[in-house]
Amino acid sequence: MDFYASSVRHRRCSSVQRYSKVAKGMHRNKFRTIMAASAAALAVLTATACSTDEPVPTSAELRKVTVQYGWLLDGGSAASCTAVVKGYYRDAGLDVTLKAGGPVAATFLNATNAVATNPAVDIAVDNDLVTLIEGKARKDDKYSVRAFASLWQKSPLGFIVRADSGINSLKDLAKTKSDGSKYVIGSTPGAPIFKALADYAGVTVKDLKITTISGDATPFIAGKVDALLGFSTNQAVAVEKAGIPYRFLPVSELPGFTQPVYVAMAREEFIAKNPELLDKWLKATAQGARETIRDPKAAAQYLRDERCGGKELNAEQQQTLVEKSIDYMKVDGSDAQIGQLNLDVIKGFVPAYSTAAGLPRTPAVEELIDTSVVQRVYGK
């Protein structure tokens, strides 16, 4: 309920009640009958006016919802953080707790695994569909999980190279430098994308010079690698801040490697039993996304709230991250259907990834996705 409207209604009720008391206190005989009737009428009006107020949910009345992210609660989670701080979840009757995915040392919690195995987690917002695809491909019984919304419509993952490196396409990463040496590619361990990259470039993975690094941009900034597998909304921002001219080559250049990001998932049983809750969560999150798009500077401040990333986050850096994420949140350039699932993109990504990762089978899209929430919220 709107706070201003609530205050106005409270003042009106108080005024009526005060007038009622004054009326009851009148003792002149000639007005006694009239004023008694007036007081009774006012009492009825008072009860009616005050009882029409929408109830403000107390903390005990709110439905608690735990949302596990697979990354920091930083610019990528701005929609959820804005919804928490602005009270959009609370207005919907939800008490939402956001949990960061780390870091712990150089690793992050896998949000998909968390929602699959931990009943204390209601919703996971993971970086992509990869873990879900792998779980379903193994026919793992514990993976009774489905994705029901996508907060970003495309991936900001790609390769960051120096602008003067001569690398203009992902195929160039398989070439040699003018001195005959190979380009050094920095990546976190175990990225199956290199099989797809090698196939695309017409070489084998062994022909690529890949070195394992942590998730930040330090090795690239220090000149230890020629290309860095990272995000345009994260590591590329650090490179930009370091004053290094760079080129960003998105992985979507690889056939089939366009995919949704910040994918919302829940256990199949939870989806079936809590349709209203999930509808409310998506609507409030989408409202948070639209407010983030409208005012990125304010959204950066919301991220520093203790319920989100905390005061250790740099507001200026977070604003840059938020601004770079705006286009990824929109659906066909519009913020009207944030959270929508692009089934055509998913249908292309699932077999492409399954092949690159050497999975025992390619799961059907129907095993991975539940469209019921977006259909109820957006009507299609």
Side-chain angles (χ1 to χ4, degrees):
M1 181 173 64
D2 181 73
F3 176 76
Y4 175 75
S6 173
S7 299
V8 170
R9 282 195 288 268
H10 175 72
R11 288 196 296 273
R12 286 174 179 169
C13 290
S14 298
S15 298
V16 172
Q17 289 163 347
R18 284 196 298 273
Y19 182 64
S20 176
K21 290 177 181 179
V22 171
K24 288 180 177 179
M26 297 290 288
H27 298 294
R28 293 182 181 180
N29 292 335
K30 66 178 181 179
F31 291 121
R32 185 172 298 160
T33 303
I34 296 173
M35 293 311 296
S38 298
L42 284 168
V44 172
L45 289 172
T46 299
T48 303
C50 295
S51 65
T52 57
D53 279 1
E54 297 175 12
V56 178
T58 65
S59 296
E61 294 171 330
L62 296 173
R63 172 71 184 273
K64 293 185 180 298
V65 182
T66 299
V67 181
Q68 177 68 62
Y69 268 79
W71 190 251
L72 299 169
L73 294 176
D74 62 1
S77 56
S80 294
C81 286
T82 297
V84 166
V85 177
K86 295 283 285 183
Y88 299 150
Y89 291 129
R90 189 178 183 87
D91 291 345
L94 306 177
D95 179 9
V96 173
T97 298
L98 304 179
K99 290 187 172 294
V104 178
T107 64
F108 287 83
L109 181 147
N110 187 304
T112 308
N113 285 341
V115 77
T117 60
N118 185 357
V121 175
D122 301 307
I123 297 171
V125 179
D126 213 342
N127 302 330
D128 50 40
L129 286 168
V130 165
T131 303
L132 182 59
I133 294 171
E134 292 175 349
K136 294 289 188 179
R138 295 192 301 268
K139 292 187 176 180
D140 192 333
D141 290 340
K142 77 178 181 182
Y143 268 89
S144 57
V145 173
R146 296 201 186 195
F148 65 87
S150 176
L151 303 183
W152 287 17
Q153 295 303 304
K154 55 184 179 180
S155 174
L157 183 66
F159 290 87
I160 302 162
V161 300
R162 281 174 164 76
D164 60 358
S165 64
I167 304 173
N168 300 301
S169 164
L170 294 184
K171 289 182 178 180
D172 294 336
L173 293 172
K175 296 179 180 179
T176 56
K177 303 179 188 179
S178 57
D179 62 2
S181 63
K182 294 181 179 180
Y183 289 109
V184 180
I185 306 169
S187 169
T188 51
I193 194 173
F194 291 108
K195 172 65 166 60
L197 174 61
D199 291 344
Y200 180 61
V203 298
T204 68
V205 174
K206 291 182 179 180
D207 294 321
L208 302 172
K209 189 172 183 179
I210 304 165
T211 185
T212 299
I213 60 172
S214 61
D216 63 32
T218 302
F220 181 85
I221 294 171
K224 295 182 179 180
V225 298
D226 301 298
L228 173 69
L229 181 63
F231 296 96
S232 64
T233 54
N234 193 308
Q235 290 89 344
V237 173
V239 172
E240 187 175 318
K241 294 290 185 183
I244 299 174
Y246 71 93
R247 182 176 294 113
F248 183 77
L249 306 175
V251 295
S252 58
E253 182 183 332
L254 301 175
F257 266 78
T258 299
Q259 68 154 326
V261 178
Y262 287 106
V263 181
M265 308 177 196
R267 292 178 295 280
E268 293 170 5
E269 182 181 14
F270 189 87
I271 293 174
K273 290 184 176 180
N274 298 277
E276 184 178 0
L277 181 154
L278 293 174
D279 292 356
K280 289 179 177 180
W281 181 84
L282 179 55
K283 288 178 182 178
T285 305
Q287 186 179 2
R290 284 188 282 272
E291 180 62 18
T292 295
I293 292 169
R294 189 191 70 80
D295 193 346
K297 185 175 182 179
Q301 291 296 335
Y302 302 149
L303 285 164
R304 301 182 71 242
D305 189 279
E306 291 304 321
R307 292 165 290 179
C308 298
K311 297 297 183 185
E312 63 271 19
L313 294 180
N314 179 279
E316 182 181 356
Q317 184 182 36
Q318 292 307 310
Q319 183 177 344
T320 302
L321 293 176
V322 171
E323 289 170 345
K324 286 184 175 292
S325 72
I326 288 174
D327 286 341
Y328 292 104
M329 288 189 276
K330 294 180 178 180
V331 179
D332 296 329
S334 169
D335 65 5
Q337 293 193 11
I338 289 173
Q340 187 63 267
L341 291 162
N342 190 326
L343 294 181
D344 289 335
V345 166
I346 295 171
K347 286 175 181 177
F349 177 73
V350 174
Y353 178 80
S354 298
T355 299
L359 299 182
R361 72 183 188 96
T362 299
V365 172
E366 293 74 19
E367 297 177 66
L368 306 168
I369 304 299
D370 186 301
T371 61
S372 63
V373 179
V374 292
Q375 286 176 345
R376 288 191 301 267
V377 172
Y378 295 120
K380 59 180 179 179

